[in-house]
Amino acid sequence: MCQPLKDSHIFRLTDDTGMFQHAKYGVPDPTKGYTTDDNARALIMAVMLYERFGQEKYLALVYRYLSFVLNAQNREGRFKNFMGYNRDFMEESGSEDCFGRCLWALGYTLASAKTPRNVKDTCRYLLQKALPHVASLRWPRAKAYSLIGLTCLDMQETEEHVRNLAESLAKQYEEHRDDHWNWFEDGLTYSNAVLPWSLLAAYRVLGEQRLLDIASESLAFLERITFGEGYFKPVGCHGWFLKGQPRAEYDEQPLEACEMLLAYLEAYRITSHKRYLDRARKCLAWYHGDNSKGLCLIDSETDGCYDGITEKGLNLNQGAESIISYFIACLALDVYQ
């Protein structure tokens, strides 16, 4: 467990609607409103907190964030994403990535033994409306998030979706890989770790060796790029890393450390290879200063998490994605301590 794990910034960012998207330094910024992306991930975090500590304040967060996701689902079963401070959504349907993150959150919440019956029933309702759209997903990360969520479930109606999503990602990998590039696309951009992670999860459910082989090979490739200096250094978001071009060094974002950690933990659960657990610990250490700048991303004054590492140092804003990523990383790794 991260010591001490303090939740003050989580409650500071959360109002009676949900979690604000951004903060100006450590102060919530209502002008930027909310996103379903953040509230779906916050739902996972809240469930993990309730699983770990069993406190009513965390169960209240579960209801709050799930209510946001419920409000975000449109009539067709997709999810709106951006909401203004006036509680009006700014679009009728959000991105496919948003859809996938919602399925991840709903699957995780529904699978938890600690989730109350009414919460589970609401998750089932939302999933049933969303499932018809899984087959039409086009973007790889949307497929990966959806796959991760659906592999949480023991539901007969999701097995075909799991198989089809896994096959689609495996086929994309085989189309793009070569002797020196073991990846699903011709570039490493954002949320890279969810791609091998999702195929690890699919292997756990389906037991197909090909999925494990692709997941292991692509995770090893991502590791070579992000652990070249011995500590975790994600691909920078200002330019990414396109095949045949220099990689962008900055900015480094907290979400990447969290999702890489979760991918390693999935690999460890499947293989029991201790090196995966050691790498997961290195990903968590990134938040505490084992990084390219030697700087801790946790603000001792607010208990928030800074929004990343720039070429000049820390991004001192402390938004939702950052604190959620840190808490999920801590809570996930705590199971193995």
Side-chain angles (χ1 to χ4, degrees):
M1 172 63 68
C2 305
Q3 295 292 340
L5 191 60
K6 299 179 181 178
D7 60 20
S8 57
H9 196 60
I10 290 169
F11 286 93
R12 187 178 299 118
L13 280 174
T14 302
D15 67 0
D16 59 355
T17 297
M19 184 175 281
F20 288 114
Q21 180 181 12
H22 288 299
K24 179 59 67 177
Y25 302 107
V27 177
D29 185 358
T31 67
K32 302 299 189 295
Y34 318 80
T35 70
T36 305
D37 276 334
D38 289 331
N39 281 273
R41 287 181 288 220
L43 174 59
I44 296 169
M45 176 195 68
V47 173
M48 295 176 78
L49 283 166
Y50 188 59
E51 289 171 331
R52 176 66 175 80
F53 299 107
Q55 296 180 28
E56 286 298 314
K57 65 178 180 177
Y58 297 133
L59 181 57
L61 291 181
V62 171
Y63 278 95
R64 183 76 45 83
Y65 301 139
L66 181 57
S67 179
F68 190 103
V69 176
L70 175 63
N71 187 33
Q73 191 172 50
N74 64 25
R75 292 180 181 179
E76 288 73 35
R78 296 183 175 89
F79 296 91
K80 308 168 190 176
N81 193 12
F82 293 99
M83 175 192 277
Y85 188 52
N86 60 1
R87 294 186 175 182
D88 287 337
F89 279 101
M90 302 176 183
E91 59 199 351
E92 182 54 32
S93 182
S95 68
E96 285 193 1
D97 285 1
C98 176
F99 179 90
R101 292 182 187 113
C102 287
L103 261 60
W104 174 26
L106 294 171
Y108 186 90
T109 304
L110 183 53
S112 173
K114 296 293 186 180
T115 302
R117 174 177 53 82
N118 280 283
V119 173
K120 286 180 180 286
D121 287 345
T122 303
C123 290
R124 288 191 189 95
Y125 168 80
L126 292 168
L127 277 168
Q128 289 299 328
K129 288 181 65 178
L131 280 175
H133 302 290
V134 171
S136 63
L137 292 174
R138 297 174 299 155
W139 298 102
R141 284 157 189 79
K143 295 176 184 179
Y145 282 119
S146 299
L147 190 50
I148 290 163
L150 295 177
T151 55
C152 292
L153 305 174
D154 183 18
M155 297 169 61
Q156 187 173 354
E157 60 263 42
T158 64
E159 183 178 348
E160 183 178 355
H161 289 303
V162 168
R163 192 174 300 279
N164 290 340
L165 288 170
E167 177 57 32
S168 175
L169 287 172
K171 182 178 179 181
Q172 182 166 345
Y173 177 80
E174 290 163 348
E175 289 173 349
H176 284 84
R177 75 173 297 278
D178 60 33
D179 291 341
H180 305 289
W181 186 265
N182 306 133
W183 199 242
F184 301 81
E185 303 169 296
D186 289 334
L188 291 161
T189 56
Y190 65 97
S191 292
N192 296 301
V194 301
L195 298 173
W197 172 21
S198 68
L199 291 187
L200 287 165
Y203 168 78
R204 174 170 41 79
V205 172
L206 301 174
E208 295 183 7
Q209 184 64 38
R210 170 169 165 258
L211 300 179
L212 179 58
D213 291 343
I214 292 172
S216 301
E217 186 175 83
S218 58
L219 183 59
F221 175 73
L222 184 59
E223 180 177 312
R224 289 196 298 273
I225 292 165
T226 57
F227 274 93
E229 302 298 325
Y231 51 78
F232 180 64
K233 182 172 173 44
V235 173
C237 67
H238 293 309
W240 308 119
F241 180 24
L242 304 182
K243 187 175 180 180
Q245 299 182 23
R247 63 174 281 176
E249 297 296 327
Y250 296 99
D251 293 352
E252 304 177 33
Q253 297 183 307
L255 176 66
E256 305 299 334
C258 173
E259 292 181 343
M260 193 71 166
L261 179 150
L262 294 173
Y264 279 128
L265 291 183
E266 187 73 71
Y268 177 68
R269 280 192 291 270
I270 290 169
T271 67
S272 299
H273 294 164
K274 188 175 179 295
R275 65 172 303 278
Y276 288 129
L277 186 58
D278 292 340
R279 286 301 194 193
R281 291 180 176 131
K282 278 283 192 180
C283 291
L284 185 61
W286 177 89
Y287 294 95
H288 295 285
D290 189 9
N291 54 52
S292 62
K293 295 293 186 182
L295 297 171
C296 180
L297 278 86
I298 308 305
D299 183 350
S300 60
E301 179 181 302
T302 65
D303 303 319
C305 178
Y306 294 119
D307 279 352
I309 300 174
T310 75
E311 188 171 5
K312 296 180 179 179
L314 295 172
N315 178 340
L316 296 178
N317 295 324
Q318 300 170 34
E321 183 176 282
S322 303
I323 190 64
I324 292 167
S325 297
Y326 176 64
F327 264 67
I328 290 177
C330 287
L331 292 162
L333 191 57
D334 182 52
V335 176
Y336 299 92
Q337 304 291 40

